């Protein structure tokens, strides 16, 4: 069904920008795209389903400032036709603060509109949060199907690594909700959807762990995402080496990266013009600083913070 896819001097301005970059860089990490899935069937613009979907996405952002997990059935049992009902849920990673959860969900809402326009169903996973909706009721239905996997290109033949990895994975299996584990230089975390019982969570994580070992073998970092849970591990220093295994997933990630890059560039231009509109010399000075002393990633961080 789904296809996987203001200061008054230049010095004060620069100080404020650097402070923003350092303080909010972790938020960009939470917003990093992992995978998305879009249904093949579409809805037409200006239909009841589209209106209910907009209500759902708006509710997700507002609710995420209060709770890290929620489910919805918008239009169910009302005058709207059954095909107009939107079933959906969202969840933030268990270690995110509420403010960070809201920012992540806002990013997820923006991205899912771009990645899956007019789709009757869509799923989107970011580093820090998860979003899903559909016109069919999937809420509470057991689902351990494989959605996505990520295996590092680096592998290990070290017996001690495998012992430590298995210790971490065994510990993660016993988790309820969100759990973090470590053994030696191996770390990991796992999470189930918020409405799973303890036994259902353990069952889902057991499948995830088995799939990690089967699909990623001796990879030094790996992640498996199932319908209702995920599990990830990495050897120290290898977390960033996780890369999409699926060419389609890579294309989707590149598409989102291009979109974010374009929007980020526009947002940065607005920031520059807004802050330095009274002095072209200040604008040129600040632009020179950004181009010569900050990386592209930092510029995108700034743009996302101000957007």
């Amino acid at each position: 069904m789904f296809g996987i896819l203001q200061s008054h001097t230049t010095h004060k301005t620069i100080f404020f920008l650097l402070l923003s970059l350092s303080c909010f860089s972790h938020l960009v990490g939470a917003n990093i795209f992992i995978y998305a899935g879009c249904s093949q069937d579409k809805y037409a613009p200006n239909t009841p389903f589209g209106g209910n979907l907009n209500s759902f996405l708006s509710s997700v952002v507002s609710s995420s400032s209060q709770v890290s997990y929620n489910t919805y059935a918008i239009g169910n049992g009302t005058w709207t036709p059954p095909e107009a009902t939107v079933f959906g849920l969202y969840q933030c990673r268990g270690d995110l603060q509420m403010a960070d959860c809201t920012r992540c969900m806002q990013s997820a809402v923006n991205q899912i509109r771009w990645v899956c326009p007019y789709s009757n169903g869509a799923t989107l996973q970011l580093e820090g949060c998860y979003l899903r909706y559909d016109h069919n009721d999937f809420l509470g239905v057991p689902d351990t199907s494989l959605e996505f996997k990520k295996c590092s290109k680096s592998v290990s033949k070290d017996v001690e690594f495998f012992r430590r990895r298995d210790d971490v994975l065994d510990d993660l299996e016993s988790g309820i909700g969100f759990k973090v584990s470590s053994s030696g230089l191996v770390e990991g975390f796992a999470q189930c959807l918020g409405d799973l019982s303890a036994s259902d969570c353990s069952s889902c994580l057991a499948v995830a762990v088995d799939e990690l070992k089967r699909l990623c073998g001796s990879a030094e970092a790996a992640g498996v995402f199932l319908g209702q849970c995920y599990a990830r591990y990495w050897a120290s220093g290898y977390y960033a080496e996780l890369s999409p295994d699926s060419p389609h997933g890579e294309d989707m990630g590149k598409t989102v990266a291009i979109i974010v890059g374009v929007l980020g560039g526009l947002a940065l231009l607005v920031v520059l013009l807004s802050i330095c509109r009274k002095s072209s010399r200040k604008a040129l000075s600040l632009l020179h600083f950004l181009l010569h002393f900050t990386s592209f990633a930092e510029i995108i961080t700034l743009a996302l913070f101000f957007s």
Side-chain angles (χ1 to χ4, degrees), residues 6-16 275-276 282 286:
Q6 228 170 67
S7 298
H8 300 290
T9 69
T10 302
H11 293 297
K12 289 183 179 178
T13 300
I14 290 174
F15 173 76
F16 175 73
I275 294 176
C276 304
K282 289 180 181 179
L286 181 55

Side-chain angles (χ1 to χ4, degrees), residues 129-143:
C129 57
Y130 173 76
L131 179 62
R132 181 183 178 185
Y133 73 85
D134 203 292
H135 67 292
N136 295 313
D137 188 2
F138 64 90
L139 301 175
V141 178
D143 185 4

Side-chain angles (χ1 to χ4, degrees), residues 18 92 235:
L18 288 174
C92 288

Side-chain angles (χ1 to χ4, degrees), residues 44 52 54 71 81 85 117 121 126 131 153 170 174 184 201 243 249 258 266 277:
N52 287 337
N54 289 334
T71 61
T85 302
L126 303 183
L131 179 62
K153 295 178 181 178
D170 288 345
S174 64
C201 181
S243 58
I258 291 171
L266 292 174
R277 62 184 180 276

Side-chain angles (χ1 to χ4, degrees), residues 210-256:
D210 288 343
E211 292 290 82
L212 271 176
K213 295 177 180 179
R214 182 179 70 86
L215 297 172
C216 295
S218 56
E220 292 188 290
V224 161
F225 298 82
L226 306 183
Q228 292 181 311
C229 68
Y230 66 82
R232 309 174 74 174
Y233 76 84
W234 62 94
S236 179
Y238 287 94
Y239 183 80
E241 198 176 321
L242 287 173
S243 58
D245 167 84
S246 163
H248 182 76
E250 289 180 350
D251 292 341
M252 187 70 75
K254 290 175 182 177
T255 300
V256 173

Side-chain angles (χ1 to χ4, degrees), residues 125-179:
Q125 177 76 59
L126 303 183
E127 276 285 347
C129 57
Y130 173 76
L131 179 62
R132 181 183 178 185
Y133 73 85
D134 203 292
H135 67 292
N136 295 313
D137 188 2
F138 64 90
L139 301 175
V141 178
D143 185 4
T144 57
S145 60
L146 178 66
E147 296 289 331
F148 194 71
K149 69 181 178 72
K150 302 173 72 176
C151 310
S152 69
K153 295 178 181 178
S154 60
V155 297
S156 176
K157 297 181 180 179
D158 182 15
V159 174
E160 179 67 9
F161 164 77
F162 288 111
R163 187 178 72 81
R164 296 290 188 176
R165 184 202 67 175
D166 290 347
D167 286 345
V168 167
L169 294 180
D170 288 345
D171 191 32
L172 292 180
E173 275 193 52
S174 64
I176 300 175
F178 178 74
K179 185 175 180 64

